[in-house]
Amino acid sequence: MYVAVKGGEKAIANAHALLAKEGRGDPETPVITVDAVAGQLSVLVARVMNEGSLYDPELAARAVLQAQGDVLEAVTLVRSYRTTLPRLGYTLPLDTASLPPQRRISATFKDLPGGQQLGVTFDYTHRLFSDAATDGPEPTAAAAEESRPMPRVNDLLGDASLIEPERSPDSTDPEPADLTRDPTMFPMSRAERLQALARGDEGFLLSLGYSTQRGFGRTHPFAGEVRVGEVEVEFDAPDLGFPVPLGRLEVTECQMINQFTGSADKPAQFTRGYGLAFGRSERKAMSMSLLDRALRADEFGERRVAPAQDEEFVVSHSDNVQATGFVEHLKLPHYVDFQAELGLIRRLREEHAAVPA
């Protein structure tokens, strides 16, 4: 017979104690500090901040430690904490056009204005270092390079009308909805979709973005530009009548240049895909931009034939907190449901056995 486990409260307390013991590891090993995680595992911390929808490196690092490195558990902790915070207001849109990049690359122009800037990247590490310690980069004329203007590649194409404008000249820019406060309704605006993609699971977005390049969606992109750097955040204070700087955020921005469209009335133009994420998150931003373009199929009169072009499929399944909850709820007691199924299958077998051969 299937019976409920007795003494649940005490068992849960013991499970917590055992979890803490296992997470501590060897007592002779120094404890990992929050500062160490935030400083040395910055890419992991950036992912937790993105999917947790909260920019706070220290808090994300604390969640990673508590979750023992389980990214989805850390994201759940950050999301749960985020719901307890008051909403004081909204910041002004980030001015990424003036983003001073720590890293800036383009796959479209070799000699673009301002030059390429490799910055911090894993792109050229092709082996596992036996000793991660290095003497640091050699000094360069960084100050002179930062002073050079670095216009965005898509803006250069836009000035020549070779790529679609960021927004239609004859349309207004509506106030974007807030997915953390408003229920998800389909169809969504592009701003709402980008919100959902920004907090979506990186692995899921990567897989769907990859699928669009393999023919399951209409994308044949060029990486117009990928930028990583710090941008100033300003808060619109109604009582003061002018924006107040709050600080700077590290962000990654990706602008994809996709296949062109045109008609008898309009000359051919490239189309856009866009991605923006907290911290050093190039893979996330690039995956976002691939899906952003794929999900714009209706705007360009394209047939939706692939999962990456289905807005409801992408948005509904990209949230890893919802996905984790739905999958892991199977661990909770389902005794009554199972007993009902078990009784049903026994009756069916009895009826089957009673039928003459």
Side-chain angles (χ1 to χ4, degrees):
M1 296 296 293
Y2 298 86
V3 296
V5 177
K6 305 299 182 183
E9 185 176 350
K10 184 177 180 180
I12 291 174
N14 288 336
H16 285 166
L18 183 60
L19 178 67
K21 180 181 178 181
E22 290 292 323
R24 175 60 183 88
D26 186 354
E28 301 297 325
T29 303
V31 176
I32 303 175
T33 65
V34 172
D35 291 340
V37 174
Q40 299 178 37
L41 301 178
S42 57
V43 177
L44 172 62
V45 168
R47 177 173 179 180
V48 173
M49 291 192 300
N50 278 306
E51 297 172 18
S53 297
L54 182 66
Y55 188 92
D56 190 328
E58 180 181 348
L59 189 68
R62 189 178 300 277
V64 169
L65 280 176
Q66 182 174 327
Q68 300 178 17
D70 186 330
V71 175
L72 301 191
E73 179 66 20
V75 170
T76 302
L77 292 172
V78 170
R79 289 252 193 117
S80 299
Y81 177 77
R82 184 183 185 277
T83 62
T84 68
L85 302 177
R87 180 68 61 88
L88 301 178
Y90 293 91
T91 61
L92 298 180
L94 298 180
D95 182 15
T96 58
S98 59
L99 172 67
Q102 302 162 357
R103 170 166 161 78
R104 183 219 195 189
I105 59 170
S106 173
T108 52
F109 294 102
K110 179 182 178 181
D111 299 317
L112 72 163
Q116 308 268 0
Q117 189 165 326
L118 295 185
V120 180
T121 178
F122 294 112
D123 291 349
Y124 309 101
T125 56
H126 301 305
R127 64 186 177 90
L128 183 65
F129 291 101
S130 58
D131 184 2
T134 64
D135 296 330
E138 296 182 2
T140 59
E145 292 178 1
E146 290 179 0
S147 63
R148 292 185 299 174
M150 294 185 177
R152 294 189 295 186
V153 170
N154 282 25
D155 292 342
L156 297 176
L157 294 174
D159 291 342
S161 299
L162 296 175
I163 193 170
E164 59 162 329
E166 288 188 305
R167 63 177 63 90
S168 177
D170 56 352
S171 66
T172 58
D173 192 6
E175 189 71 20
D178 187 346
L179 290 185
T180 64
R181 290 191 163 192
D182 304 321
T184 301
M185 301 291 291
F186 298 104
M188 306 173 74
S189 67
R190 187 184 180 194
E192 291 174 297
R193 288 200 303 265
L194 285 171
Q195 286 182 57
L197 295 177
R199 56 194 258 135
D201 181 80
E202 181 178 314
F204 182 78
L205 301 188
L206 175 65
S207 296
L208 282 182
Y210 174 47
S211 74
T212 67
Q213 295 178 272
R214 296 190 63 248
F216 296 90
R218 290 178 54 86
T219 61
H220 182 73
F222 299 92
E225 190 169 4
V226 178
R227 288 194 185 206
V228 181
E230 292 186 346
V231 64
E232 189 169 67
V233 179
E234 294 182 321
F235 177 68
D236 186 10
D239 296 339
L240 299 178
F242 57 87
V244 179
L246 295 182
R248 303 182 71 83
L249 301 182
E250 184 181 40
V251 296
T252 300
E253 181 184 53
C254 175
Q255 301 226 28
M256 286 288 182
I257 301 173
N258 293 76
Q259 69 270 17
F260 52 84
T261 61
S263 66
D265 301 324
K266 294 182 179 180
Q269 288 181 316
F270 287 113
T271 56
R272 298 174 181 261
Y274 185 78
L276 182 71
F278 289 145
R280 287 168 49 208
S281 307
E282 291 184 30
R283 189 184 304 115
K284 174 67 173 286
M286 294 180 73
S287 300
M288 278 184 65
S289 61
L290 290 172
L291 287 177
D292 172 49
R293 175 57 182 86
L295 290 169
R296 299 178 65 200
D298 291 344
E299 293 183 39
F300 302 108
E302 299 167 353
R303 294 177 57 225
R304 292 191 293 169
V305 296
Q309 295 173 300
D310 189 318
E311 176 183 83
E312 186 170 355
F313 177 85
V314 173
V315 172
S316 297
H317 298 94
S318 64
D319 193 311
N320 54 26
V321 172
Q322 293 184 20
T324 299
F326 209 81
V327 170
E328 295 198 4
H329 98 284
L330 298 174
K331 296 184 293 187
L332 299 176
H334 286 74
Y335 308 124
V336 174
D337 292 342
F338 181 70
Q339 289 297 324
E341 295 282 342
L342 192 60
L344 176 60
I345 197 170
R346 283 172 173 164
R347 287 196 302 272
L348 291 174
R349 289 177 63 85
E350 291 173 358
E351 293 175 1
H352 182 271
V355 175

